[in-house]
């Protein structure tokens, strides 16, 4: 996986965190520097740690399924992406402000941990695919964490300024990116793409 592909993947993974960060920004009446930094750190750290956990889980059985690893990557990324697309379509039909009201302006540890885990579960599955693709996990996870930090911090500020209208569009874009990346991995391993 080259740097451009990793960047695209990191952006796709960060879209869930971005959507929640937009809601955090929407719920804050007077934003300070701590809001985007704290939200970015929580989401960035979890998005970096979860692929490493997935990678080490995947390594346990990667040698047993080398012949179908590209199918595993395709299916996992496809399911994650399809769920993000489905969620974004459902949220577009609902009032955005109602779905954002579920996320309040609190930055307490319990709430941020729950949100961080919820937005990084897909990164765990991606980490499993990294084990099959023989990716440098420390570099990839660090890169994903930094990209997520930046996108989440920006999401808080954007949400504070523009509101929740971007939430479903971000999830839709993230889902499409993950489905396309999974398809590319499959096509490359089948020899259709070079």
């Amino acid at each position: 996986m080259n740097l451009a592909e990793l960047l695209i993947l990191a952006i796709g993974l960060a879209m869930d965190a971005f959507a929640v960060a937009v809601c955090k920004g929407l719920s804050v009446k007077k934003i300070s520097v701590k809001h985007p930094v704290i939200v970015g750190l929580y989401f960035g750290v979890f998005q970096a740690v979860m692929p490493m956990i997935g990678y080490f889980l995947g390594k346990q059985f990667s040698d047993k399924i080398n012949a179908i690893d590209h199918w595993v990557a395709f299916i996992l990324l496809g399911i994650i992406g399809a769920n993000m697309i489905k969620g974004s379509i459902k949220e577009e039909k609902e009032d955005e402000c109602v779905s954002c009201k579920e996320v309040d302006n609190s930055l307490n540890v319990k709430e941020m941990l729950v949100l961080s885990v919820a937005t990084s579960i897909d990164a765990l599955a991606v980490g499993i695919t990294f084990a099959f693709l023989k990716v440098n996990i420390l570099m990839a996870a660090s890169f994903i964490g930094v990209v997520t930090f930046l996108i989440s911090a920006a999401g808080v500020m954007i949400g504070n300024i523009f509101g929740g209208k971007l939430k479903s569009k971000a999830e839709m874009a993230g889902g499409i990116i993950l489905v396309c990346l999974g398809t590319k991995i499959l096509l490359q391993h089948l020899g259709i793409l070079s």
Side-chain angles (χ1 to χ4, degrees):
M1 180 172 280
N2 64 37
L3 190 59
E5 290 172 331
L6 186 57
L7 176 62
I8 291 168
L9 177 66
I11 291 169
L13 287 174
M15 287 299 109
D16 274 349
F18 174 79
V20 174
V22 166
C23 288
K24 278 286 186 193
L26 181 65
S27 68
V28 175
K29 293 194 181 5
K30 184 171 169 67
I31 196 165
S32 70
V33 173
K34 80 173 186 174
H35 288 96
V37 170
I38 290 172
V39 171
L41 280 173
Y42 270 101
F43 291 157
V45 167
F46 272 81
Q47 288 282 45
V49 170
M50 291 299 236
M52 288 194 280
I53 294 170
Y55 177 85
F56 291 113
L57 290 173
K59 272 295 191 194
Q60 301 302 314
F61 55 90
S62 67
D63 58 331
K64 295 168 184 59
I65 59 171
N66 273 340
I68 60 166
D69 59 358
H70 50 283
W71 285 102
V72 172
F74 171 71
I75 290 168
L76 285 175
L77 292 173
I79 289 170
I80 295 165
N83 283 335
M84 287 175 74
I85 293 168
K86 180 180 168 188
S88 73
I89 291 169
K90 182 180 173 186
E91 286 177 11
E92 269 184 3
K93 292 178 183 176
E94 297 172 358
D95 180 16
E96 289 294 337
C97 291
V98 171
S99 64
C100 279
K101 281 184 182 173
E102 296 169 10
V103 178
D104 66 22
N105 67 352
S106 171
L107 295 176
N108 73 54
V109 173
K110 183 179 175 187
E111 180 184 342
M112 289 307 300
L113 286 175
V114 169
L115 291 173
S116 297
V117 170
T119 59
S120 63
I121 293 296
D122 51 355
L124 179 75
V126 168
I128 294 171
T129 66
F130 283 169
F132 304 129
L133 300 175
K134 316 250 184 318
V135 170
N136 178 336
I137 189 60
L138 289 177
M139 195 258 321
S142 299
F143 192 76
I144 289 168
V146 169
V147 168
T148 302
F149 170 82
L150 295 172
I151 288 175
S152 299
V156 173
M157 294 183 285
I158 290 168
N160 189 255
I161 296 168
F162 297 110
K165 295 185 180 11
L166 299 174
K167 184 175 183 283
S168 64
K169 289 171 183 50
E171 280 189 293
M172 173 74 76
I176 291 169
I177 288 169
L178 294 179
V179 169
C180 290
L181 193 57
T183 304
K184 180 182 178 290
I185 289 168
L186 177 66
L187 296 176
Q188 281 180 324
H189 277 75
L190 294 177
I192 297 170
L193 289 177
S194 57

